[in-house]
């Protein structure tokens, strides 16, 4: 499909940047239009692939931001974005809408700009265009603490209510150990980018390289039309052009003629199974999905019809739904075979529940502290018997 | 972030001068030349090396009672700055607030000028500007006596409610008791200046030095927005650059792996210890950390040394320690730097033993004063 992709805030912009990087490295052409929108001038200088003129600084004349972010305050994020909505709409006027199938808004939900400003941007897009608007939203990790959790839980509601589908990424699930701060985020963003691009770039090829089972943008839109919160899985394997290699790897040992086909079918099915059982962008029960879409991407010679069919059957059983689409995305000359799985409208994700609990606790604590604030300050600067007078 | 710097009184001027001295060589601009010192004195003076002469304002030179300052008389100092308000106002016009994020008023609260004129100035600046007005206040050491304590206690009552936040520096902790006066203040001022710059000033970053979570001025403003009193902690650790004699010797020991002890676990532990040190032992104003309302921590150093796990556990530790969910954490990559530093801002601390004891000292002093006066003027 063809996308207009918009990153809001720091995390959102970095993720869009990585999506464009992944596309250009793999010769895909998904994002026909990109924008990075932020309240922080410094963060906007960071992307490597988003053209300078596609970066929008908002709120630089706003007293509360002045081009320096919104300090993790969702209210200010929303306020600053709303105040500059005309400028944003003007930027969106550039989207050649006849040339895109859908719009994707990426944002981190734990801060202020993406979290508070994202929903404002989505409102404008929904209002301007008939095309579906999806979100790619990052849930803050539990380790980030109470305030990001509160921002995230509140913002999640707004996002889910406003978008046609919310594709979630849970920072908690993707935390790796031996990393620097920079590497940690970079790695997560690359993992996320490869998943979303592999999934959505299917059926985007302009050339008539149409395979029998080729995925179409309307298939993707149909799967995402389930609304709610979605999660993605992914698995890839190197494609060996040597038949011996295949035999070795798949453990077949006979000279059977149908072996190649059979082993290719097994390969596809096991790849789809691996992708489904892989670490999901939002860990959740696979069987809770309402609709499922699988994109197989790789050299067309690898697409075994039998494999695709049995993968589909396996998924139907596994997810307990008949709304399973498995399609392919032929990439001539690619050295990898990848399966990207979209579990649309899942429920019961543990992290969302813990996030909400964390948010409730945080909200209570913040309210308590605010209520006691004035008295505590007064008490600090006043001596026990109030003998000391102020100087002015 | 960019702040106009306004030093009031002797201490205020000297600390501002010290801040200007660290700003320049580190290329971390805090005030962009928007600097002013205000003092009460009989003689116009030019005592600061890093503040241009025309930015050093002296008022009250014709007032009775003014010699070298208000000599600890806060009420006199208040009168003087009120009378000379137009002159100060003119001097303030040289500051361009448009490109700044706020104002930082620096003053020794135990002084007549710093504590008295400082309080008046903070009120004025709040009327003049929409941006936050912060105070960097120096508390007198206990051994300076009751009068300085009384001045500071009175001044706190005016300054804290008027300012958007009051960062305090306790001379009792930071100024050694027995060294030569000039040098011991100079050392304390350098320390205070280094912290102020580390907290507020960011270097203009190239793409390589933009953090994954850059602390921007809005983050600092939000952390300080509850008002009240704030304290700043900082700790640094020198990196073992590997070429030292010690690591060479260690690498020769049997069973060693070339002195390589910088595995992931020690990195993470190192960062957590660093933040712990910054919070617990090196605060500008010692306080009960659990009474904090909001906190912020910035970790700076070469990007390769900033362990993600260390950063996360340090942040979490700070959240537990301060017992608040409002903890912002940021990284500040400095490629090529040989140190890793943690700077911690504790905002709205409300349990501060040092302020309590200063208030007691002030009350005692006031009582003795009254008794003396009663003896002086028997009716
Ligand atoms: N996966 C991922 N998450 C990130 C990244 N950077 C930040 N985050 C997450 O996104 C949340 C929001 O952070 P930012 O995007 O920096 O915040 P912002 O939207 O720019 O808002 P303000 O900084 O408050 O103006 C954080 O709580 C993190 O959970 C990133 O590079 N990758
Ligand atoms: N850290 C630090 N503290 C100082 C310095 N100079 C003075 N102090 C402290 O600040 C308090 C006020 O002293 P000054 O600043 O000299 O007084 P002033 O504000 O000029 O007021 P008057 O001279 O009384 O009008 C003293 O009681 C000391 O506690 C300094 O250079 N550094
Ligand atoms: Mg930010
Ligand atoms: Mg003086």
């Amino acid at each position: 499909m063809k996308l207009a992709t918009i990153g809001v805030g720091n995390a959102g912009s970095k993720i869009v940047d990585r999506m464009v990087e992944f596309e250009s490295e793999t010769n895909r052409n998904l994002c026909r239009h990109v924008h990075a929108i932020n309240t922080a001038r410094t963060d906007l200088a960071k992307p490597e692939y988003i053209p300078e003129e596609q970066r929008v600084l908002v709120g630089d004349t706003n007293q509360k931001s002045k081009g320096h972010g919104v300090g993790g305050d969702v209210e200010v994020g929303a306020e600053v974005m709303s105040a500059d909505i005309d400028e944003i709409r003007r930027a969106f006027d550039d989207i050649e809408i006849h040339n895109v199938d859908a719009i994707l808004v990426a944002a981190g939900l734990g801060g202020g700009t993406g979290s508070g400003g994202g929903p404002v941007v989505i409102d404008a897009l929904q209002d301007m265009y008939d095309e579906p608007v999806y979100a790619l939203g990052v849930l803050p990790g539990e380790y980030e603490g109470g305030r990001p959790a509160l921002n995230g839980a509140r913002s999640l509601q707004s996002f889910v209510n406003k978008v046609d589908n919310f594709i979630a990424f849970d920072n908690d699930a993707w935390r790796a150990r031996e990393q620097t701060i920079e590497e940690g985020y970079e790695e997560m963003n690359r993992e996320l980018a490869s998943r979303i691009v592999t999934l959505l770039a299917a059926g985007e090829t302009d050339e008539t390289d149409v395979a029998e089972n080729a995925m179409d943008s309307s298939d993707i839109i149909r799967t995402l039309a389930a609304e709610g919160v979605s999660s993605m899985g992914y698995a890839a394997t190197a494609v060996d052009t040597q038949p011996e290699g295949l035999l070795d790897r798949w453990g077949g040992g006979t000279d059977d003629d149908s072996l190649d086909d059979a082993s290719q079918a097994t390969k596809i099915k096991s790849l789809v199974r691996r992708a489904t059982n892989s670490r999901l962008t939002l860990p959740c029960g696979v069987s809770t999905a309402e609709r499922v879409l699988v994109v197989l991407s790789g050299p067309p010679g690898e697409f075994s019809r039998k494999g695709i069919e049995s993968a589909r059957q396996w998924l139907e059983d596994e997810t307990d739904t008949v709304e399973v689409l498995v399609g392919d995305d032929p990439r001539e000359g690619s050295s990898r075979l990848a399966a990207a799985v979209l579990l649309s409208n899942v429920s019961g994700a543990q992290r969302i529940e813990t996030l909400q609990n964390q948010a409730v606790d945080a909200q209570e604590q913040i309210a308590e502290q605010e209520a006691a604030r004035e008295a505590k300050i007064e008490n600090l600067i006043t001596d026990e018997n109030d003998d000391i007078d102020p100087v002015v | 972030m960019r702040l106009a710097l306004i030093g009031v009184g002797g201490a205020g001027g000297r600390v501002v001068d010290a801040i200007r001295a660290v700003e320049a060589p580190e290329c971390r601009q805090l005030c962009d030349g928007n600097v002013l010192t205000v003092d009460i004195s009989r003689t116009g003076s030019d005592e600061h090396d890093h503040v241009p002469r025309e930015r050093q304002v002296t008022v009250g030179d014709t007032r009775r009672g003014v010699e070298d300052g208000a000599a600890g008389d806060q009420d006199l100092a208040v009168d003087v700055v009120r009378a000379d308000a137009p002159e100060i106002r003119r001097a303030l016009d040289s500051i361009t607030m448009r490109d700044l994020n706020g104002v930082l008023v620096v003053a020794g609260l135990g002084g007549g000028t710093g504590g008295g004129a400082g309080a008046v100035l903070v009120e004025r600046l709040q009327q003049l500007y929409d941006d936050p007005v912060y105070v960097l206040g120096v508390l007198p050491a206990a051994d300076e006596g009751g009068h300085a304590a009384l001045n500071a206690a009175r001044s706190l009552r005016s300054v804290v409610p008027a300012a958007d936040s009051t960062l305090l520096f306790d001379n009792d902790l930071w100024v050694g008791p027995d060294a030569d006066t000039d040098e011991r203040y100079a050392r304390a001022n350098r320390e205070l200046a280094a912290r102020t710059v580390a907290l507020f000033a960011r270097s203009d970053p190239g793409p390589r030095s933009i953090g994954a979570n850059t602390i921007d001025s809005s983050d600092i403003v939000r952390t300080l927005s509850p008002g009240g009193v704030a304290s700043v902690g900082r700790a640094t650790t020198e990196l073992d650059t590997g070429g030292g004699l010690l690591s060479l010797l260690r690498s020769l020991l049997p069973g060693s792996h070339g002195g390589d002890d910088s595995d992931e676990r020690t990195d993470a532990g190192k960062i957590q210890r660093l933040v712990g040190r910054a919070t617990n032992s090196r605060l500008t104003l010692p306080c009960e950390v659990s009474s904090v309302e909001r906190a912020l921590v910035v970790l700076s150093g070469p990007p390769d040394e900033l362990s993600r796990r260390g950063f996360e556990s340090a942040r979490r530790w700070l959240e537990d320690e301060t017992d608040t969910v409002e903890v912002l954490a940021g990284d500040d990559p400095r490629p090529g730097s040989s140190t890793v530093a943690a700077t911690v801002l504790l905002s709205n601390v409300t349990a501060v033993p040092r302020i309590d004891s200063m208030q007691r000292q002030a009350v005692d002093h006031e009582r003795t004063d009254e008794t003396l006066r009663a003896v002086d003027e028997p009716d």
Side-chain angles (χ1 to χ4, degrees):
Chain A
M1 92 192 306
K2 305 185 206 89
L3 275 189
T5 311
I6 292 144
V8 187
N10 186 26
S13 306
K14 283 191 278 180
I15 289 163
V16 171
D17 201 47
R18 288 294 154 257
M19 287 175 66
V20 179
E21 178 188 58
F22 183 78
E23 280 192 68
S24 65
E25 278 171 359
T26 60
N27 274 320
R28 287 174 162 90
N29 193 5
L30 170 68
C31 303
R32 303 300 169 102
H33 181 102
V34 290
H35 257 131
I37 302 176
N38 208 334
T39 55
R41 189 176 283 112
T42 310
D43 291 339
L44 270 186
K46 189 135 183 142
E48 296 164 60
Y49 292 84
I50 300 172
E52 207 67 60
E53 65 278 10
Q54 297 302 100
R55 308 178 193 184
V56 185
L57 179 67
V58 291
D60 52 329
T61 56
N62 190 299
Q63 183 66 25
K64 288 182 183 156
S65 174
K66 285 192 172 180
H68 292 283
V70 297
D73 191 320
V74 253
E75 322 277 352
V76 182
E79 187 187 314
V80 163
M81 202 66 76
S82 304
D84 277 357
I85 198 66
D86 292 336
E87 187 187 341
I88 292 165
R89 280 171 162 268
R90 267 196 302 281
F92 290 161
D93 275 336
D94 291 350
I95 301 176
E96 291 174 28
I97 198 67
H98 59 275
N99 207 10
V100 304
D101 303 306
I103 303 166
L104 181 75
V105 176
L109 268 53
T113 304
S115 182
V120 176
V121 167
I122 290 164
D123 273 342
L125 290 165
Q126 291 284 27
D127 180 49
M128 289 172 78
Y129 301 113
D130 293 332
E131 280 63 19
V133 179
Y134 307 126
L136 184 59
V138 176
L139 304 181
E142 188 180 356
Y143 58 88
E144 287 183 56
R147 168 50 75 174
L150 178 57
N151 290 350
R154 290 182 59 191
S155 176
L156 180 64
Q157 289 188 8
S158 315
F159 268 92
V160 173
N161 287 337
K162 291 174 193 299
V163 291
D164 292 276
N165 201 300
F166 181 94
I167 304 169
F169 184 88
D170 173 17
N171 271 356
D172 254 350
W174 286 85
R175 204 148 63 113
R177 292 171 118 246
E178 320 214 355
Q179 290 170 327
T180 64
I181 300 170
E182 190 69 53
E183 287 164 359
Y185 280 125
E186 280 289 286
E187 202 169 293
M188 290 198 286
N189 296 348
R190 292 215 156 88
E191 295 283 357
L192 178 53
S194 58
R195 281 161 179 72
I196 190 82
V197 174
T198 304
L199 199 69
L200 299 186
E204 124 272 309
T205 31
D206 289 326
E207 307 92 75
T208 37
D209 193 4
V210 194
E212 332 163 37
N213 228 340
M215 188 61 73
D216 197 79
S217 63
S218 61
D219 298 328
I220 302 175
I221 289 173
R222 224 187 80 73
T223 308
L224 287 166
E227 302 194 339
V229 174
S230 300
S231 179
M232 295 183 290
Y234 181 86
T237 181
V239 176
D240 203 331
T241 40
Q242 305 294 312
E244 296 91 339
L246 261 180
L247 284 178
D248 288 349
R249 200 140 23 92
W250 296 97
T254 62
D255 299 318
D256 197 323
D257 261 2
S258 65
L259 175 81
D260 244 27
D261 193 38
S263 73
Q264 269 185 350
T266 320
K267 184 176 179 177
I268 296 276
K269 185 180 166 190
S270 97
L271 190 66
V272 169
R273 189 193 305 216
R274 251 175 60 211
T276 311
N277 294 327
S278 70
R279 173 155 47 155
L280 299 174
T281 56
L282 175 72
C284 61
V286 170
S287 61
T288 65
E290 183 184 331
R291 292 179 195 170
V292 182
L293 176 92
V294 180
V295 170
L296 285 163
S297 139
E302 294 285 327
F303 300 148
S304 135
R305 286 207 67 144
K306 240 168 76 188
I308 290 176
E309 185 44 35
S310 65
R312 206 186 54 74
Q313 293 234 314
W314 175 81
L315 262 173
E316 266 185 21
D317 293 346
E318 199 69 8
T319 57
D320 203 18
T321 165
V322 288
E323 305 236 30
V324 177
L325 282 172
V326 182
D328 50 50
D329 177 28
R331 310 225 144 251
E332 208 67 66
S334 164
S335 59
R336 284 160 78 77
L337 181 62
V341 179
L342 173 71
L343 302 166
S344 186
N345 193 13
V346 296
S347 48
Q350 187 66 42
R351 178 57 192 141
I352 291 183
E353 208 163 295
T354 57
L355 182 78
Q356 284 161 345
N357 291 337
Q358 206 182 354
V360 170
D361 290 348
Q363 194 166 32
E364 278 169 15
Q365 215 221 46
I366 290 166
E368 270 169 36
Q369 272 179 325
E370 258 176 37
R373 182 188 293 161
E374 288 311 318
K376 279 188 169 171
I377 296 176
E378 194 53 36
N379 189 38
L380 174 70
I381 61 173
T382 316
D383 62 284
E384 219 171 321
N385 300 313
D386 199 1
D387 284 335
I388 299 169
D389 296 326
V391 62
V392 285
Chain B
M1 104 189 259
R2 300 274 198 266
L3 295 172
L5 279 178
I6 302 179
V8 189
R14 282 187 288 277
V15 172
V16 163
D17 200 40
I19 291 175
R20 296 280 291 152
V22 290
E23 253 187 318
E26 286 205 27
C27 289
R28 290 162 79 85
Q29 279 298 315
L30 176 62
C31 71
D32 262 342
N34 291 289
V35 61
L36 200 68
T37 61
V38 179
D39 206 356
I40 294 174
S41 174
R42 179 159 293 280
T43 54
S45 65
D46 178 20
E47 51 172 334
H48 307 307
D49 298 336
H50 305 277
V51 181
R53 226 218 118 99
E54 68 278 11
R55 296 297 180 96
Q56 304 185 28
V57 181
T58 323
V59 292
D61 48 336
T62 58
R63 271 294 278 264
R64 260 191 53 203
V66 169
E67 282 303 326
D68 182 19
D73 185 342
Q74 290 193 315
D75 300 315
L76 172 64
V78 168
D79 281 351
V80 168
V81 281
R82 286 200 170 135
D84 287 350
E87 195 177 341
I88 295 172
R89 181 65 217 262
R90 264 196 304 283
L92 286 173
D93 284 343
S94 64
I95 289 173
T96 16
M97 283 304 294
R98 190 164 29 90
D99 303 320
L100 302 173
N101 311 106
V103 184
L104 185 65
V105 177
V106 189
L109 302 184
T113 306
V120 176
L121 225 76
V122 171
E123 283 185 350
R124 274 289 144 75
L125 292 166
Q126 285 289 23
Q127 290 160 0
L128 279 176
Y129 305 130
D130 292 334
D131 298 285
V133 177
Y134 301 124
V135 169
L136 181 58
V138 175
L139 295 184
D143 64 9
E144 287 184 49
H147 189 70
L150 178 59
N151 274 352
R154 289 185 64 196
S155 186
L156 271 187
R157 287 207 62 180
S158 299
V159 162
V160 171
D164 286 278
S165 180
T166 304
L167 292 88
L168 291 179
F169 181 85
D170 185 10
N171 273 355
D172 210 40
L173 178 76
W174 289 94
V175 178
D178 47 16
D180 132 74
T181 321
D182 272 359
E183 177 47 30
R184 71 183 209 230
Y185 275 148
R187 199 179 320 120
N189 294 352
R190 279 196 298 272
E191 181 66 41
L192 177 53
R195 279 160 188 253
T196 309
V197 169
L199 175 66
F200 288 111
R202 290 283 99 74
S203 44
D204 270 330
R208 274 281 285 146
S209 58
I210 303 174
N213 288 310
T214 308
I215 290 294
D216 220 322
S217 57
S218 299
D219 299 305
I220 299 175
V221 171
R222 194 179 130 72
T223 302
L224 290 173
S225 68
V229 166
S231 179
V232 182
R234 180 168 161 85
T236 58
T237 179
E238 286 297 322
L239 292 169
D240 181 11
T241 40
L245 181 61
L246 198 68
S247 69
L248 178 67
L249 287 176
R250 232 188 280 138
S251 69
L252 297 173
L253 289 174
S256 83
H257 304 282
D260 180 16
D261 59 353
S262 62
D263 65 285
E264 191 247 344
R265 224 174 10 182
T266 44
D267 275 358
K270 197 159 67 186
I271 296 219
Q272 213 192 328
R273 277 195 302 281
L274 190 66
V275 174
R277 204 143 52 79
T279 313
N280 280 332
S281 53
R282 307 279 290 161
L283 292 173
T284 54
L285 176 73
C287 60
E288 278 171 33
V289 174
S290 62
S291 73
V292 162
E293 185 174 343
R294 288 185 188 172
L296 176 141
V297 53
V298 187
L299 202 60
S300 50
D304 293 348
E305 295 291 331
L306 307 182
S307 139
R308 173 174 160 92
R309 218 157 60 89
F311 181 66
E312 285 166 8
S313 50
R315 207 212 64 83
R316 175 167 242 159
W317 174 84
L318 194 59
E319 181 165 328
D320 289 344
E321 204 72 4
T322 53
D323 198 18
T324 169
V325 295
E326 300 269 15
V327 180
L328 284 171
D331 58 326
D332 173 26
R334 307 274 189 90
S337 163
S338 64
T339 54
V340 176
T343 309
V344 175
L345 170 62
L346 304 176
S347 170
N348 195 17
V349 298
T350 49
V352 186
R354 180 68 192 109
I355 292 182
D356 296 337
S357 68
M358 193 179 76
Q359 284 163 343
R360 282 193 295 274
Q361 198 182 2
V363 172
D364 285 349
H365 177 77
E366 212 172 24
R367 291 218 182 98
T368 344
D369 240 23
E370 275 161 20
T371 323
L372 285 180
R373 244 178 281 146
V375 174
D376 268 1
E377 342 162 347
D379 48 353

